[in-house]
Amino acid sequence: LLDALADMGALAIERVRLVEDLDRAERAAETDRLARALLTSISHDLRTPLASVLGAASTLRDLDAALPGEAKADLLATIIEESERLNRFIVNLLDMTRLEAGAVAPNLAPQDLGEIVDTALRRTEGVLAGHRVVVEMPPDLPALPLDPVLFEQVLVNLLDNAAKYAPEGSLVTVRARRDGARIRLEVLDEGDGLPEEDVERVFDKFYRVRKGDRVRAGTGLGLAIARGFVEAMGGTVTAGNRGDRNGAAFTVSLPARTAREDRAA
Ligand code: ADP
């Protein structure tokens, strides 16, 4: 009997090993698959705008004298826009890398939320030019413990998306209000919003609702970075749809005081 039990034990251990090996192989295959998808996506996202820049610059060089002023202006606009896109993509990749390396150390100091919102709106003026923008800030908001550089980037990413995924002429609203010991900041748009089953997944790295969307180019990194930065500052960010009309609603909830101030209170 003992022998039989020992055999069974050995068999069980063998099975556990097999399952573990399989798990490991599956995880390795998944990591491999992700790495390949990442490389494909990165090379595509880098090469597409770069090809446009090279094309426009070469045309300017070769045909310079023959080109009417308007055509030159168009080519220059292409060069600038595509270079900005490249720059955004590289900034995103670097931000993501910093987050994953655990190298994001927020510099928390009391900040005027309204001022950070203004700066973010100035930075997104170009992309939001076709939209109407409304800002609703209560006058008595307390200063919040934020890293202004990180928080500005969070807002820029949310505003960029509102500009990209909501039609021209529609209204983008940025509003803040007090909610007990926290401050809620919302970015609302009038686009198609998000499929309910995707409201969590949009924060995943490289996740995009419409995968092959070439018109609204993107990397699927903006929201992952926004969430990483907000969480590093002790806040949360959630996605959803508006209750009052069509459109997405992104809500950032921030502590009104630092954890240390909370303990002292
Ligand atoms: P990107 O915009 O570069 O694709 P993000 O991480 O910023 O990456 O967003 C992930 C996905 O979430 C987008 O591809 C889009 O499908 C969806 N999304 C983000 N913001 C909005 C919005 N305001 N309205 C509708 N869909 C959105």
Side-chain angles (χ1 to χ4, degrees), residues 57-89:
S58 315
T59 309
L60 272 175
R61 184 197 55 197
D62 298 342
L63 304 178
D64 184 37
L67 285 174
E70 210 173 294
K72 280 189 200 170
D74 279 352
L75 288 168
L76 281 174
T78 300
I79 292 176
I80 292 170
E81 270 166 35
E82 296 297 316
S83 305
E84 280 172 350
R85 180 187 293 190
L86 267 176
N87 191 40
R88 270 202 303 277
F89 179 61

Side-chain angles (χ1 to χ4, degrees), residues 92 157-166 187-195 198 201-211 213 216-226 239-241 247-250:
N92 271 343
N157 290 4
L158 295 179
L159 290 167
D160 255 344
N161 282 348
K164 219 158 51 174
Y165 299 108
V187 177
L188 312 169
D189 65 47
E190 294 182 330
D192 292 335
L194 299 161
D198 280 337
R201 298 181 68 187
V202 290
F203 293 101
D204 289 352
K205 241 185 329 174
F206 300 115
Y207 188 78
R208 307 195 71 210
V209 175
R210 290 162 215 84
K211 290 192 181 45
D213 194 343
R216 293 168 293 191
T219 57
L221 287 176
L223 290 176
I225 291 164
N241 288 302
F250 286 86

